Amino acid sequence: MSDTFPPGFLWGTATAAYQIEGAARENGRTPSIWDTFSHTPGKVARGDTGDIAVDHFHRRAEDVRLMADLGVNAYRFSVSWPRVQPTGRGPAIQRGLDFYRALVDDLLGHGIEPVLTLYHWDLPQELEAAGGWPERETAYRFAEYARSVGEALGDRVQRWTTLNEPWCSAFLGYASGVHAPGRTDPAAALRAAHHLNLGHGLAGQVLRSVLPADARLSVSLNPSAVRARTQSPADLDARRRIDALANRIFTGPMLNGAYPEDLFADTARITDWSFVHAADLATIRRPLDSLGINYYAPAVVSAATDEFAGRHDGHGESEHSPWPGADSVAFHQPPGELTEMGWSVDPSGLYDLLMRYTREAPGLPLMVTENGAAYADRPGADGTVHDPDRIRYLHGHLAAVRRAIDDGADVRGYFLWSLLDNFEWAYGYGKRFGAVHVDYETQRRTPKSSALWYARLAGTGVLPEVPVG
Ligand code: IFM
């Protein structure tokens, strides 16, 4: 296997607005569902919020210089919807757009390609008050917001992503409730999934009409590399159910213009899916220029026999399942090494997903838009931060990407999650995913050894060895 990546490969880092920006009440920004959720006692560990986060809003220039020093050639960030369109309707406010314009100009000035995500989970609270993603209207509001951002930044941003991980928005937000807005209504979660799909399609339509012809459109999914615990028919059926709810519910309409029939059957007791209008599917199936894949760990499932009953969750702690219609499925901890999130370290899941979408979406370039790991990193006495576990994690996953390329996958880029330690949603600041350490008291940034290792890779396109010790 070659350890050299193709020329032109994008080497990036990724972040999301609510996780890093802070400045939650500045320049006309209003609360998003995550502001409301994080300020609700008991929803986020230690009561952490994104009010200040890592103060990226004020440290933008420093953070871009940090990236330039690492030698990455791309940066994936998200736009905060309530910063540019505070009520979720009507004209965008210039002050909000100015921040992203300045960010993009800084990036371009350092030769770093901006990769813009429109929605990384921060729905304006006013839209949630009007019903949120379970309501069809939210998809139209999203398209209107996409138009404003497209018109404002289309002259300088070529790569556009509609949604980040719509599975999390729909099922962690509306079924298990571990994410904002914290609802626990399985029927609402399925409606939300459809309206996220519709929002993706409508926004894609609008973006194509306002962006230059060479703009590239994508979506970032977090498909589950789901495996059956045994090859028994019952365990294989458990796998099929989770595959439908995690993966095909999005790729079905987006890539093939149809929801899977087995999904309808599995969820028939929860909803009749009458909220899907006939014309929606053609809208959702928009030609994409690449498919973004976010990957951290595989899932192992079985039938929920008595022995395994109640292990319905794979994401966060809730008595409510994020898997509507899959009560008959149990989740298992795969054996082997775990990250600080309790997620297993298994690069073969990434390889499998890249090969799967190579087969299922022939001709569609792939991009690993998130991959990384949380570890309990602490500065040493000399102030440096050594994170050998993260280097091993990254090395293994990048080797899997390289192997997939050898085997025919058209992978065009890799984005390390994350540039900086940041607000890890319901876990607050307790989990550190950054290649750059952030001291949350002083906001001091210190590149960890993984950042320096990644810089060598970005600079040469050749996978460096894992340092010994
Ligand atoms: O921090 C998140 C990110 O916002 C979305 N993908 C997974 C990451 C790690 O949990």
Side-chain angles (χ1 to χ4, degrees):
M1 188 186 85
S2 161
D3 54 6
T4 304
F5 283 79
F9 200 80
L10 288 185
W11 293 110
T13 56
T15 62
Y18 190 71
Q19 295 181 273
I20 64 164
E21 285 181 4
R25 280 179 278 279
E26 283 182 46
N27 272 2
R29 184 186 179 280
T30 56
S32 76
I33 53 175
W34 268 98
D35 295 270
T36 308
F37 189 76
S38 64
H39 279 270
T40 306
K43 297 297 185 189
V44 173
R46 294 170 304 280
D48 291 349
T49 74
D51 287 1
I52 298 173
V54 295
D55 198 30
H56 171 72
F57 185 80
H58 298 114
R59 293 165 195 264
R60 180 200 84 231
E62 179 193 348
D63 289 342
V64 173
R65 272 198 306 276
L66 206 52
M67 283 185 256
D69 290 346
L70 295 181
V72 295
N73 60 14
Y75 175 52
R76 176 172 178 255
F77 64 95
S78 78
V79 172
S80 160
W81 188 345
R83 197 180 288 294
V84 305
Q85 198 192 31
T87 61
R89 300 166 201 280
I93 54 169
Q94 283 310 315
R95 283 176 301 166
L97 289 168
D98 285 348
F99 171 72
Y100 298 103
R101 219 178 259 122
L103 170 64
V104 167
D105 287 348
D106 281 356
L107 291 166
L108 293 172
H110 284 94
I112 300 172
E113 180 155 5
V115 179
L116 183 154
T117 299
L118 284 165
Y119 188 71
H120 198 127
W121 308 353
D122 43 3
L123 185 71
Q125 181 60 38
E126 282 205 26
L127 293 186
E128 174 59 20
W133 285 109
E135 292 306 316
R136 190 174 176 85
E137 178 63 12
T138 304
Y140 293 100
R141 299 276 60 81
F142 179 60
E144 184 187 71
Y145 154 69
R147 176 184 297 279
S148 300
V149 184
E151 285 173 347
L153 300 179
D155 60 342
R156 53 197 89 188
V157 175
Q158 196 191 25
R159 294 181 186 274
W160 294 75
T161 303
T162 53
L163 306 173
N164 180 70
E165 301 183 359
W167 183 85
C168 297
S169 299
F171 295 104
L172 301 182
Y174 292 93
S176 70
V178 298
H179 278 190
R183 287 206 243 162
T184 53
D185 174 351
L190 293 167
R191 291 172 65 97
H194 176 62
H195 296 135
L196 283 152
N197 278 332
L198 182 60
H200 159 78
L202 292 167
Q205 226 162 27
V206 162
L207 288 173
R208 291 279 187 216
S209 74
V210 300
L211 296 178
D214 62 354
R216 316 245 178 108
L217 249 59
S218 188
V219 61
S220 286
L221 304 178
N222 57 325
S224 176
V226 53
R227 293 160 181 174
R229 185 164 173 273
T230 73
Q231 295 303 300
S232 73
D235 287 357
L236 290 173
D237 192 60
R239 196 200 92 85
R240 177 197 60 71
R241 277 175 191 265
I242 298 305
D243 183 49
L245 279 166
N247 304 334
R248 290 180 285 121
I249 190 171
F250 300 108
T251 55
M254 286 181 186
L255 303 179
N256 305 317
Y259 282 102
E261 286 300 325
D262 58 332
L263 174 71
F264 290 150
D266 292 345
T267 55
R269 270 183 298 140
I270 300 170
T271 179
D272 62 5
W273 290 83
S274 54
F275 48 84
V276 179
H277 299 187
D280 291 356
L281 291 160
T283 304
I284 298 168
R285 185 194 196 178
R286 312 268 338 145
L288 294 172
D289 299 302
S290 66
L291 177 66
I293 292 182
N294 296 356
Y295 172 82
Y296 292 87
V300 177
V301 298
S302 74
T305 53
D306 288 349
E307 187 190 350
F308 302 131
R311 293 205 208 173
H312 58 64
D313 208 352
H315 298 263
E317 281 177 27
S318 168
E319 64 199 60
H320 300 274
S321 170
W323 304 104
D327 299 336
S328 58
V329 177
F331 282 76
H332 302 269
Q333 184 71 71
E337 205 185 321
L338 302 179
T339 70
E340 189 69 10
M341 296 295 283
W343 298 347
S344 73
V345 178
D346 186 349
S348 69
L350 179 54
Y351 173 85
D352 291 349
L353 288 172
L354 294 172
M355 296 315 294
R356 173 179 183 171
Y357 293 110
T358 296
R359 283 190 305 276
E360 293 187 6
L364 183 62
L366 303 175
M367 200 82 91
V368 178
T369 41
E370 282 184 30
N371 178 239
Y375 290 105
D377 312 308
R378 279 182 205 90
D382 62 355
T384 60
V385 186
H386 289 294
D387 56 346
D389 291 339
R390 183 172 292 100
I391 296 179
R392 268 206 314 282
Y393 180 98
L394 296 174
H395 183 275
H397 287 76
L398 282 153
V401 174
R402 185 53 258 192
R403 187 157 71 89
I405 294 173
D406 278 345
D407 293 346
D410 182 8
V411 187
R412 302 282 180 92
Y414 176 93
F415 291 78
L416 191 167
W417 184 271
S418 180
L419 171 66
L420 301 159
D421 290 336
N422 62 47
F423 177 80
E424 176 54 24
W425 308 113
Y427 298 90
Y429 297 97
K431 307 287 179 200
R432 293 179 178 271
F433 273 92
V436 174
H437 181 271
V438 179
D439 177 330
Y440 294 125
E441 295 293 313
T442 61
Q443 297 291 354
R444 183 185 151 86
R445 277 90 162 122
T446 307
K448 304 176 190 177
S449 38
S450 61
L452 307 177
W453 180 89
Y454 190 63
R456 277 173 58 206
L457 172 57
T460 59
V462 179
L463 194 57
E465 285 305 312
V466 176
V468 181

